[in-house]
mmCIF file of all heavy atoms in Angstrom:
data_model
loop_
_atom_site.group_PDB
_atom_site.id
_atom_site.type_symbol
_atom_site.label_atom_id
_atom_site.label_comp_id
_atom_site.label_asym_id
_atom_site.label_seq_id
_atom_site.Cartn_x
_atom_site.Cartn_y
_atom_site.Cartn_z
ATOM 1 N N SER E 63 -34.039 15.039 11.917
ATOM 2 C CA SER E 63 -34.640 14.097 12.854
ATOM 3 C C SER E 63 -35.740 14.768 13.678
ATOM 4 O O SER E 63 -36.790 14.174 13.932
ATOM 5 C CB SER E 63 -33.545 13.550 13.755
ATOM 6 O OG SER E 63 -34.095 12.730 14.727
ATOM 7 N N LEU E 64 -35.508 16.011 14.093
ATOM 8 C CA LEU E 64 -36.519 16.729 14.876
ATOM 9 C C LEU E 64 -37.774 16.994 14.044
ATOM 10 O O LEU E 64 -38.888 16.980 14.559
ATOM 11 C CB LEU E 64 -35.947 18.050 15.390
ATOM 12 C CG LEU E 64 -34.966 17.942 16.557
ATOM 13 C CD1 LEU E 64 -34.341 19.291 16.854
ATOM 14 C CD2 LEU E 64 -35.670 17.401 17.789
ATOM 15 N N LEU E 65 -37.568 17.257 12.752
ATOM 16 C CA LEU E 65 -38.701 17.630 11.896
ATOM 17 C C LEU E 65 -39.342 16.418 11.227
ATOM 18 O O LEU E 65 -40.244 16.578 10.411
ATOM 19 C CB LEU E 65 -38.231 18.604 10.805
ATOM 20 C CG LEU E 65 -37.802 20.001 11.260
ATOM 21 C CD1 LEU E 65 -37.300 20.776 10.064
ATOM 22 C CD2 LEU E 65 -38.943 20.718 11.924
ATOM 23 N N ARG E 66 -38.868 15.226 11.550
ATOM 24 C CA ARG E 66 -39.236 14.084 10.711
ATOM 25 C C ARG E 66 -40.733 13.824 10.658
ATOM 26 O O ARG E 66 -41.229 13.266 9.695
ATOM 27 C CB ARG E 66 -38.475 12.836 11.139
ATOM 28 C CG ARG E 66 -38.892 12.234 12.479
ATOM 29 C CD ARG E 66 -37.921 11.134 12.866
ATOM 30 N NE ARG E 66 -38.343 10.411 14.055
ATOM 31 C CZ ARG E 66 -38.230 10.872 15.295
ATOM 32 N NH1 ARG E 66 -37.739 12.083 15.502
ATOM 33 N NH2 ARG E 66 -38.619 10.156 16.320
ATOM 34 N N ARG E 67 -41.481 14.235 11.701
ATOM 35 C CA ARG E 67 -42.922 13.977 11.680
ATOM 36 C C ARG E 67 -43.696 15.009 10.858
ATOM 37 O O ARG E 67 -44.836 14.805 10.519
ATOM 38 C CB ARG E 67 -43.471 13.971 13.094
ATOM 39 C CG ARG E 67 -42.993 12.784 13.881
ATOM 40 C CD ARG E 67 -43.696 12.713 15.221
ATOM 41 N NE ARG E 67 -42.842 12.085 16.220
ATOM 42 C CZ ARG E 67 -42.489 10.808 16.183
ATOM 43 N NH1 ARG E 67 -42.940 10.038 15.219
ATOM 44 N NH2 ARG E 67 -41.702 10.304 17.104
ATOM 45 N N TRP E 68 -43.062 16.140 10.601
ATOM 46 C CA TRP E 68 -43.805 17.220 9.941
ATOM 47 C C TRP E 68 -43.480 17.387 8.466
ATOM 48 O O TRP E 68 -44.125 18.163 7.784
ATOM 49 C CB TRP E 68 -43.560 18.547 10.676
ATOM 50 C CG TRP E 68 -44.216 18.568 12.008
ATOM 51 C CD1 TRP E 68 -45.545 18.791 12.244
ATOM 52 C CD2 TRP E 68 -43.621 18.319 13.272
ATOM 53 N NE1 TRP E 68 -45.784 18.710 13.590
ATOM 54 C CE2 TRP E 68 -44.635 18.422 14.252
ATOM 55 C CE3 TRP E 68 -42.313 18.020 13.689
ATOM 56 C CZ2 TRP E 68 -44.387 18.237 15.611
ATOM 57 C CZ3 TRP E 68 -42.066 17.834 15.029
ATOM 58 C CH2 TRP E 68 -43.100 17.936 15.981
ATOM 59 N N VAL E 69 -42.445 16.722 7.995
ATOM 60 C CA VAL E 69 -42.065 16.894 6.590
ATOM 61 C C VAL E 69 -42.843 15.905 5.728
ATOM 62 O O VAL E 69 -42.728 14.705 5.924
ATOM 63 C CB VAL E 69 -40.553 16.669 6.398
ATOM 64 C CG1 VAL E 69 -40.183 16.779 4.935
ATOM 65 C CG2 VAL E 69 -39.775 17.676 7.219
ATOM 66 N N PRO E 70 -43.650 16.401 4.778
ATOM 67 C CA PRO E 70 -44.393 15.481 3.897
ATOM 68 C C PRO E 70 -43.426 14.680 3.031
ATOM 69 O O PRO E 70 -42.393 15.201 2.602
ATOM 70 C CB PRO E 70 -45.238 16.413 3.020
ATOM 71 C CG PRO E 70 -45.140 17.755 3.646
ATOM 72 C CD PRO E 70 -43.894 17.799 4.450
ATOM 73 N N THR E 71 -43.766 13.435 2.780
ATOM 74 C CA THR E 71 -42.855 12.549 2.055
ATOM 75 C C THR E 71 -42.498 13.080 0.669
ATOM 76 O O THR E 71 -41.368 12.930 0.217
ATOM 77 C CB THR E 71 -43.496 11.149 1.880
ATOM 78 O OG1 THR E 71 -44.406 10.959 2.954
ATOM 79 C CG2 THR E 71 -42.456 10.083 1.867
ATOM 80 N N GLN E 72 -43.479 13.694 -0.003
ATOM 81 C CA GLN E 72 -43.237 14.099 -1.394
ATOM 82 C C GLN E 72 -42.138 15.144 -1.508
ATOM 83 O O GLN E 72 -41.408 15.172 -2.487
ATOM 84 C CB GLN E 72 -44.514 14.668 -2.036
ATOM 85 C CG GLN E 72 -45.651 13.695 -2.157
ATOM 86 C CD GLN E 72 -46.495 13.662 -0.896
ATOM 87 O OE1 GLN E 72 -46.097 14.209 0.142
ATOM 88 N NE2 GLN E 72 -47.660 13.030 -0.964
ATOM 89 N N VAL E 73 -42.042 16.036 -0.536
ATOM 90 C CA VAL E 73 -41.075 17.129 -0.667
ATOM 91 C C VAL E 73 -39.892 16.941 0.269
ATOM 92 O O VAL E 73 -39.151 17.877 0.535
ATOM 93 C CB VAL E 73 -41.742 18.493 -0.385
ATOM 94 C CG1 VAL E 73 -42.777 18.796 -1.435
ATOM 95 C CG2 VAL E 73 -42.315 18.543 0.994
ATOM 96 N N ARG E 74 -39.684 15.722 0.761
ATOM 97 C CA ARG E 74 -38.655 15.559 1.791
ATOM 98 C C ARG E 74 -37.246 15.840 1.264
ATOM 99 O O ARG E 74 -36.458 16.501 1.935
ATOM 100 C CB ARG E 74 -38.734 14.173 2.428
ATOM 101 C CG ARG E 74 -38.368 13.044 1.500
ATOM 102 C CD ARG E 74 -38.551 11.708 2.168
ATOM 103 N NE ARG E 74 -37.907 10.654 1.409
ATOM 104 C CZ ARG E 74 -38.383 10.180 0.254
ATOM 105 N NH1 ARG E 74 -39.478 10.687 -0.253
ATOM 106 N NH2 ARG E 74 -37.745 9.226 -0.387
ATOM 107 N N ILE E 75 -36.960 15.383 0.013
ATOM 108 C CA ILE E 75 -35.603 15.563 -0.489
ATOM 109 C C ILE E 75 -35.269 17.055 -0.598
ATOM 110 O O ILE E 75 -34.204 17.506 -0.168
ATOM 111 C CB ILE E 75 -35.444 14.878 -1.865
ATOM 112 C CG1 ILE E 75 -35.714 13.376 -1.737
ATOM 113 C CG2 ILE E 75 -34.053 15.120 -2.428
ATOM 114 C CD1 ILE E 75 -34.617 12.593 -1.079
ATOM 115 N N VAL E 76 -36.204 17.818 -1.149
ATOM 116 C CA VAL E 76 -35.966 19.252 -1.295
ATOM 117 C C VAL E 76 -35.779 19.895 0.085
ATOM 118 O O VAL E 76 -34.877 20.705 0.295
ATOM 119 C CB VAL E 76 -37.141 19.919 -2.041
ATOM 120 C CG1 VAL E 76 -36.872 21.400 -2.212
ATOM 121 C CG2 VAL E 76 -37.352 19.263 -3.374
ATOM 122 N N THR E 77 -36.618 19.481 1.051
ATOM 123 C CA THR E 77 -36.491 20.028 2.397
ATOM 124 C C THR E 77 -35.119 19.713 2.976
ATOM 125 O O THR E 77 -34.448 20.596 3.532
ATOM 126 C CB THR E 77 -37.576 19.413 3.311
ATOM 127 O OG1 THR E 77 -38.786 19.363 2.593
ATOM 128 C CG2 THR E 77 -37.730 20.212 4.572
ATOM 129 N N PHE E 78 -34.705 18.457 2.844
ATOM 130 C CA PHE E 78 -33.395 18.068 3.376
ATOM 131 C C PHE E 78 -32.301 18.925 2.759
ATOM 132 O O PHE E 78 -31.414 19.428 3.454
ATOM 133 C CB PHE E 78 -33.096 16.590 3.075
ATOM 134 C CG PHE E 78 -34.036 15.626 3.743
ATOM 135 C CD1 PHE E 78 -34.110 14.311 3.324
ATOM 136 C CD2 PHE E 78 -34.848 16.036 4.797
ATOM 137 C CE1 PHE E 78 -34.978 13.416 3.942
ATOM 138 C CE2 PHE E 78 -35.715 15.160 5.416
ATOM 139 C CZ PHE E 78 -35.776 13.852 4.981
ATOM 140 N N ILE E 79 -32.372 19.086 1.427
ATOM 141 C CA ILE E 79 -31.304 19.832 0.747
ATOM 142 C C ILE E 79 -31.276 21.277 1.237
ATOM 143 O O ILE E 79 -30.206 21.853 1.449
ATOM 144 C CB ILE E 79 -31.486 19.757 -0.788
ATOM 145 C CG1 ILE E 79 -31.143 18.344 -1.265
ATOM 146 C CG2 ILE E 79 -30.591 20.755 -1.486
ATOM 147 C CD1 ILE E 79 -31.035 18.196 -2.740
ATOM 148 N N LEU E 80 -32.456 21.855 1.451
ATOM 149 C CA LEU E 80 -32.485 23.244 1.921
ATOM 150 C C LEU E 80 -31.922 23.345 3.343
ATOM 151 O O LEU E 80 -31.198 24.290 3.663
ATOM 152 C CB LEU E 80 -33.908 23.797 1.858
ATOM 153 C CG LEU E 80 -34.399 24.069 0.445
ATOM 154 C CD1 LEU E 80 -35.791 24.669 0.456
ATOM 155 C CD2 LEU E 80 -33.451 24.996 -0.310
ATOM 156 N N ILE E 81 -32.245 22.369 4.195
ATOM 157 C CA ILE E 81 -31.681 22.368 5.553
ATOM 158 C C ILE E 81 -30.159 22.278 5.480
ATOM 159 O O ILE E 81 -29.427 23.035 6.131
ATOM 160 C CB ILE E 81 -32.239 21.173 6.364
ATOM 161 C CG1 ILE E 81 -33.731 21.375 6.638
ATOM 162 C CG2 ILE E 81 -31.480 21.015 7.673
ATOM 163 C CD1 ILE E 81 -34.413 20.178 7.258
ATOM 164 N N ILE E 82 -29.675 21.349 4.642
ATOM 165 C CA ILE E 82 -28.229 21.168 4.514
ATOM 166 C C ILE E 82 -27.579 22.449 3.998
ATOM 167 O O ILE E 82 -26.551 22.897 4.515
ATOM 168 C CB ILE E 82 -27.916 19.975 3.582
ATOM 169 C CG1 ILE E 82 -28.441 18.676 4.203
ATOM 170 C CG2 ILE E 82 -26.430 19.859 3.322
ATOM 171 C CD1 ILE E 82 -28.434 17.491 3.264
ATOM 172 N N ALA E 83 -28.207 23.044 2.972
ATOM 173 C CA ALA E 83 -27.638 24.254 2.371
ATOM 174 C C ALA E 83 -27.524 25.372 3.405
ATOM 175 O O ALA E 83 -26.557 26.147 3.394
ATOM 176 C CB ALA E 83 -28.487 24.699 1.189
ATOM 177 N N THR E 84 -28.492 25.460 4.325
ATOM 178 C CA THR E 84 -28.442 26.493 5.358
ATOM 179 C C THR E 84 -27.186 26.326 6.204
ATOM 180 O O THR E 84 -26.443 27.296 6.430
ATOM 181 C CB THR E 84 -29.679 26.376 6.266
ATOM 182 O OG1 THR E 84 -30.827 26.279 5.456
ATOM 183 C CG2 THR E 84 -29.776 27.556 7.196
ATOM 184 N N PHE E 85 -26.931 25.092 6.668
ATOM 185 C CA PHE E 85 -25.770 24.881 7.532
ATOM 186 C C PHE E 85 -24.470 25.039 6.770
ATOM 187 O O PHE E 85 -23.472 25.498 7.332
ATOM 188 C CB PHE E 85 -25.866 23.515 8.214
ATOM 189 C CG PHE E 85 -26.929 23.489 9.271
ATOM 190 C CD1 PHE E 85 -28.064 22.724 9.124
ATOM 191 C CD2 PHE E 85 -26.788 24.283 10.406
ATOM 192 C CE1 PHE E 85 -29.051 22.732 10.093
ATOM 193 C CE2 PHE E 85 -27.772 24.293 11.370
ATOM 194 C CZ PHE E 85 -28.907 23.523 11.214
ATOM 195 N N VAL E 86 -24.474 24.654 5.493
ATOM 196 C CA VAL E 86 -23.256 24.823 4.705
ATOM 197 C C VAL E 86 -22.929 26.312 4.567
ATOM 198 O O VAL E 86 -21.765 26.717 4.673
ATOM 199 C CB VAL E 86 -23.397 24.166 3.316
ATOM 200 C CG1 VAL E 86 -22.215 24.535 2.438
ATOM 201 C CG2 VAL E 86 -23.484 22.663 3.452
ATOM 202 N N THR E 87 -23.961 27.132 4.365
ATOM 203 C CA THR E 87 -23.728 28.573 4.274
ATOM 204 C C THR E 87 -23.112 29.090 5.577
ATOM 205 O O THR E 87 -22.172 29.891 5.559
ATOM 206 C CB THR E 87 -25.049 29.308 3.984
ATOM 207 O OG1 THR E 87 -25.684 28.669 2.881
ATOM 208 C CG2 THR E 87 -24.799 30.759 3.650
ATOM 209 N N ILE E 88 -23.634 28.605 6.712
ATOM 210 C CA ILE E 88 -23.080 29.020 8.005
ATOM 211 C C ILE E 88 -21.602 28.640 8.100
ATOM 212 O O ILE E 88 -20.757 29.468 8.459
ATOM 213 C CB ILE E 88 -23.872 28.349 9.157
ATOM 214 C CG1 ILE E 88 -25.306 28.870 9.166
ATOM 215 C CG2 ILE E 88 -23.200 28.614 10.500
ATOM 216 C CD1 ILE E 88 -26.201 28.175 10.159
ATOM 217 N N VAL E 89 -21.294 27.391 7.739
ATOM 218 C CA VAL E 89 -19.903 26.931 7.803
ATOM 219 C C VAL E 89 -19.020 27.754 6.884
ATOM 220 O O VAL E 89 -17.903 28.155 7.248
ATOM 221 C CB VAL E 89 -19.827 25.429 7.425
ATOM 222 C CG1 VAL E 89 -18.395 25.008 7.166
ATOM 223 C CG2 VAL E 89 -20.415 24.585 8.522
#
Side-chain angles (χ1 to χ4, degrees):
Chain E
S63 175
L64 285 173
L65 292 177
R66 71 188 187 283
R67 291 187 210 293
W68 290 281
V69 177
T71 333
Q72 297 87 348
V73 295
R74 68 184 194 287
I75 299 285
V76 181
T77 318
F78 296 164
I79 288 191
L80 288 182
I81 292 172
I82 296 169
T84 311
F85 288 113
V86 171
T87 310
I88 295 174
V89 167

